[in-house]
Amino acid sequence: MKTLSSPSNSTTISGFILLGFPCPREGQILLFVLFFVVYLLTLMGNASIICAVRWDQRLHTPMYLLLANFSFLEIWYVTSTVPNMLANFLSDTKVISFSGCFLQFYFSFSLGSTECFFLAVMAFDRYLAICRPLHYPALMTGRLCNILVIGCWVLGFLWFPVPIIIISQMSFCGSRIIDHFLCDPGPLLALSCSRAPLMEFFWTIIMSLLLFTPFLFIMGSYMLVLRAVFRVPSRDGRRKALSTCGPHVTVVSIFYGSVMVMYLSPTSEHEAGMQKLVTLLYSVVTPLINPMIYSLRNKDMKHAMRKLLKT
């Protein structure tokens, strides 16, 4: 395990201090209650989608199976950050171990990258359903759907091990305070004993590939979808086609908009408060509102939810 050292002496440090949201003790307790409620609502909302898809035979289609897997992913994504944040609110030291910090780093970023790939696959599904409706059942089979889901998870968890291992082997000097509520590459690189321009460049490249490749694929898919929709002669047909894409476009906009602001340049000079706000948007708020976005404007999902609540 790589230790942290101070330039003035040889004292080793066993972990980092996650500063989180500095405020008086009463404020920490209030934040704990707030984020605990948000966490529970996120778990219940996404779990309800999984149960609705599982128990309603009408939802056993590729679109809803992908949505159920996406909700499963969101449960783990929010779990990679919020429980530790809750523990920090009640902690006096707010210390996270070196290994714990980099494990959180790995799992939160791997789950986030898996989400990028899932959003691309869901856009591909909408493209096939709208642009190739007659061939859709033959193209988007259960076997292909399973392959795409497994591929998202495998790619997501293989994307970051190398850069995270490299960062973990760096020497960290001086202050061990991370002015954030999670272990993030920007603050970690800022704590290194010397600047690592090669590592910063490598990080920017892999983040750019991760974000722009799925994002451009999503944009290309929806450009083809829009072209097909505008060729539909009836207004109701166009509205129905667009309504199936609206929730996904909303989620893509929120998620990619906030992530791109933060991670295309990990050492960019964002204020700490802005870093935390934007990180909350994609890591906590997005998993919370996804069930509402995908359910409120979807008649089949609303029917399945009502049916689930009555059981």
Side-chain angles (χ1 to χ4, degrees), residues 32-42 44 86 288:
F32 173 85
V33 173
L34 172 64
F35 281 101
F36 183 70
V37 171
V38 167
Y39 182 54
L40 287 182
L41 290 174
T42 302
M44 290 189 295
L86 294 175
L288 171 66

Side-chain angles (χ1 to χ4, degrees), residues 219-232:
M219 292 299 100
S221 297
Y222 277 115
M223 286 178 65
L224 295 174
V225 166
L226 286 175
R227 188 178 69 174
V229 167
F230 288 134
R231 290 177 177 175
V232 175

Side-chain angles (χ1 to χ4, degrees), residues 73 77 107-117 160 210 255:
L73 166 64
Y77 188 32
F107 280 105
S108 62
F109 273 75
S110 295
L111 291 164
S113 58
T114 303
E115 181 156 341
C116 290
F117 296 125
F160 283 108
L210 172 65
F255 181 78

Side-chain angles (χ1 to χ4, degrees), residues 107-167:
F107 280 105
S108 62
F109 273 75
S110 295
L111 291 164
S113 58
T114 303
E115 181 156 341
C116 290
F117 296 125
F118 255 104
L119 291 172
V121 167
M122 293 168 80
F124 175 65
D125 173 71
R126 291 299 82 208
Y127 159 75
L128 289 180
I130 294 173
C131 298
R132 305 286 296 277
L134 298 179
H135 300 91
Y136 178 73
L139 292 172
M140 186 56 80
T141 60
R143 182 173 180 272
L144 177 59
C145 189
N146 290 333
I147 290 173
L148 291 173
V149 168
I150 294 171
C152 288
W153 284 98
V154 171
L155 275 176
F157 276 79
L158 290 180
W159 199 266
F160 283 108
V162 171
I164 291 177
I165 289 172
I166 293 173
I167 294 175

Side-chain angles (χ1 to χ4, degrees), residues 66-84:
L66 288 173
L67 178 57
N69 278 277
F70 187 71
S71 294
F72 178 74
L73 166 64
E74 292 288 62
I75 288 174
W76 287 106
Y77 188 32
V78 74
T79 300
S80 69
T81 56
V82 173
N84 185 72

